[in-house]
Amino acid sequence: MEHVDTLILGAGAAGLFCAGSIIEADKGKPKQRVMVIDHARAPGEKIRISGGGRSNFTNLAAQRDRFLSQNPRFCASALAGFTPQDFVALVDAAGIAWHEKTLGQLFCDDSARQIIDMLLHRMRGAELWLETSVQGVSAAEGGYLVGTSRGQVRAKNLVIATGGRSIPKMGATGLGYDIARQFGLQLIEPRAGLVPLTFAEQDLDLCRPLAGVSVEAVVSHGQGRSATRFRDGLLFTHRGLSGPAILQISSFWKPGEEISVDLAPDLDLAVALRDQRGQAGKQGVATALGRHLPSRLADAIAEEMGLKAARLADQPNTSLTKLADRVNRWRLRPVGSEGWRTAEVTLGGVDTRDLNARDMQARNQPGLYFIGEVVDVTGWLGGYNFQWAWASAHAAAKAIAAA
């Protein structure tokens, strides 16, 4: 049997960073024995594939209003305790070149592998057991007993950093949720987040022929002042709609609800078409639309509205207004999402009411911590979820090191 001070289950972003933070805090003090266990062949796989292989490792705008949770205030303490600037300082110290792309998103200039290497270097002194499955967890005197495929490990502190159910092809499981239930913690039902949306046949008749066409759009959910809106790229697919704007809104949408899409967000299309009618009325409606939309999309909408062969000059204001509504206020009711297979994150997870916001420790189970995606805190698209991984891991590590 192995005896360690802290055992971390999960060698993803949160688990690796937690181990490194404990080791870093131990400098100049009696060192704890820290071990990280994962069933994967390599650590940090979601980091490796993120950002197109360049890792969108944080977002400069990572404040609590960019995160979804049943308790929106829960994440504030951890986020304040470890900021995007704190992580950037580590990246700079490691000599990793980076750039800001859009909306505060930070990426490596070279490769996501640099972030993984930095995390592994930072946790030197900790032990990393890969290709090791967890076979059971139980409370033991003074800590926890974890059965693994390499034997039993006894630990004073147990940190659950196993992530959620997103991207199952990379080995995602519900282990963290099982452990939470075992020790009496409640769960907010997990569901797929940051995921493409799928539609019924009447909408797919438009989407399928346009697969591969992209456009900048504003996608909205809800009504009035309480509506949530995202402006970003939208992509037509064979199954429905994807792209950053759709992925963002998917985390807010629930089955049965509508979304609204503005395919020309900088334009009052009704006014523009009336102006074009007065200046060049002989042109076709599809041609006029093509001045504001990708040509394939313009042709498809004109055909859908029965105006494929119509001249702009022949259209009354009511017809142009109806056409403009189809572009500026396209209302859709998704029938579902592509699910866990393509979801980038998991919504829901361990109920934050059962965790201490300052250190991520279970309120009823001393020495048991939950960090990262396994917790009911989910960020927007664009580096926010990595920042939550760093911040929640730092909070737990700080408490463990102090204890």
Side-chain angles (χ1 to χ4, degrees):
M1 182 185 297
E2 300 286 343
H3 293 263
V4 302
D5 296 288
T6 299
L7 177 61
I8 300 170
L9 303 186
L16 297 178
F17 196 75
C18 185
S21 296
I22 295 172
I23 297 297
E24 190 174 74
D26 271 346
K27 290 178 180 178
K29 303 176 183 178
K31 289 189 175 181
Q32 296 192 48
R33 187 181 179 191
V34 179
M35 179 181 290
V36 181
I37 288 177
D38 200 298
H39 66 282
R41 293 182 178 180
E45 282 293 273
K46 285 187 76 171
I47 300 174
R48 181 182 62 81
I49 67 170
S50 68
R54 292 191 173 182
S55 184
N56 180 192
F57 55 80
T58 191
N59 194 299
L60 297 176
Q63 302 295 325
R64 78 178 192 188
D65 64 348
R66 304 298 172 92
F67 294 84
L68 289 75
S69 174
Q70 291 292 309
N71 177 6
R73 292 178 291 184
F74 177 84
C75 63
S77 177
L79 291 172
F82 191 86
T83 68
Q85 290 74 20
D86 292 326
F87 193 79
V88 169
L90 294 175
V91 172
D92 287 341
I96 300 172
W98 54 272
H99 61 277
E100 182 179 349
K101 192 173 181 182
T102 56
L103 305 173
Q105 301 173 36
L106 304 189
F107 292 78
C108 297
D109 285 356
D110 186 10
S111 167
R113 182 69 216 183
Q114 293 175 292
I115 298 296
I116 300 172
D117 290 343
M118 179 192 81
L119 297 177
L120 292 174
H121 179 81
R122 188 168 174 263
M123 60 174 278
R124 287 183 307 169
E127 298 165 64
L128 178 58
W129 284 10
L130 297 173
E131 298 183 272
T132 303
S133 61
V134 173
Q135 300 174 339
V137 177
S138 60
E141 184 177 353
Y144 299 89
L145 188 62
V146 178
T148 81
S149 55
R150 293 176 58 173
Q152 292 189 320
V153 181
R154 191 182 185 107
K156 177 181 178 182
N157 303 298
L158 180 61
V159 181
I160 310 303
T162 50
R165 290 179 176 160
S166 57
I167 319 184
K169 68 181 181 180
M170 296 183 64
T173 71
L175 175 62
Y177 306 137
D178 295 339
I179 294 172
R181 290 191 192 96
Q182 178 183 338
F183 288 100
L185 282 74
Q186 300 299 308
L187 293 181
I188 304 301
E189 185 62 30
R191 60 189 180 91
L194 299 180
V195 63
L197 296 176
T198 57
F199 295 87
E201 285 300 318
Q202 64 268 22
D203 295 314
L204 289 179
D205 287 342
L206 174 72
C207 294
R208 283 194 185 110
L210 292 173
V213 172
S214 62
V215 63
E216 185 172 1
V218 172
V219 182
S220 307
H221 171 268
Q223 300 293 328
R225 292 183 178 180
S226 62
T228 301
R229 297 178 178 85
F230 291 99
R231 178 171 179 160
D232 212 322
L234 178 147
L235 176 69
F236 290 87
T237 75
H238 290 288
R239 300 186 64 183
L241 296 175
S242 187
I246 291 294
L247 299 186
Q248 292 278 38
I249 215 69
S250 73
S251 293
F252 295 83
W253 172 83
K254 293 181 180 177
E257 297 176 342
E258 280 190 335
I259 62 172
S260 178
V261 178
D262 184 350
L263 294 168
D266 291 323
L267 184 70
D268 185 331
L269 187 61
V271 172
L273 290 177
R274 288 196 295 267
D275 289 344
Q276 288 174 246
R277 181 181 60 187
Q279 297 167 10
K282 293 183 179 181
Q283 67 180 316
V285 170
T287 302
L289 273 180
R291 294 180 59 182
H292 312 292
L293 299 172
S295 58
R296 283 174 60 194
L297 178 57
D299 289 345
I301 292 176
E303 183 172 3
E304 180 189 287
M305 304 295 287
L307 300 171
K308 177 71 172 177
R311 291 195 319 162
L312 194 59
D314 298 330
Q315 304 309 309
N317 286 346
T318 53
S319 176
L320 296 184
T321 298
K322 186 176 180 181
L323 180 59
D325 283 344
R326 171 62 180 78
V327 173
N328 290 135
R329 287 166 288 278
W330 182 25
R331 300 200 67 81
L332 294 140
R333 194 181 300 277
V335 296
S337 76
E338 292 192 3
W340 299 117
R341 181 180 62 85
T342 57
E344 295 197 15
V345 295
T346 301
L347 294 157
V350 177
D351 195 330
T352 58
R353 290 176 297 182
D354 290 334
L355 301 176
N356 187 314
R358 292 188 303 276
D359 61 11
M360 311 305 296
Q361 187 172 193
R363 294 185 182 279
N364 66 346
Q365 196 68 38
L368 180 63
Y369 300 79
F370 291 83
I371 61 175
E373 191 179 349
V374 73
V375 178
D376 175 35
V377 174
T378 305
W380 291 6
L381 181 72
Y384 294 99
N385 289 292
F386 277 135
Q387 186 58 37
W388 171 245
W390 318 137
S392 59
H394 174 82
K398 183 178 178 182
I400 290 169

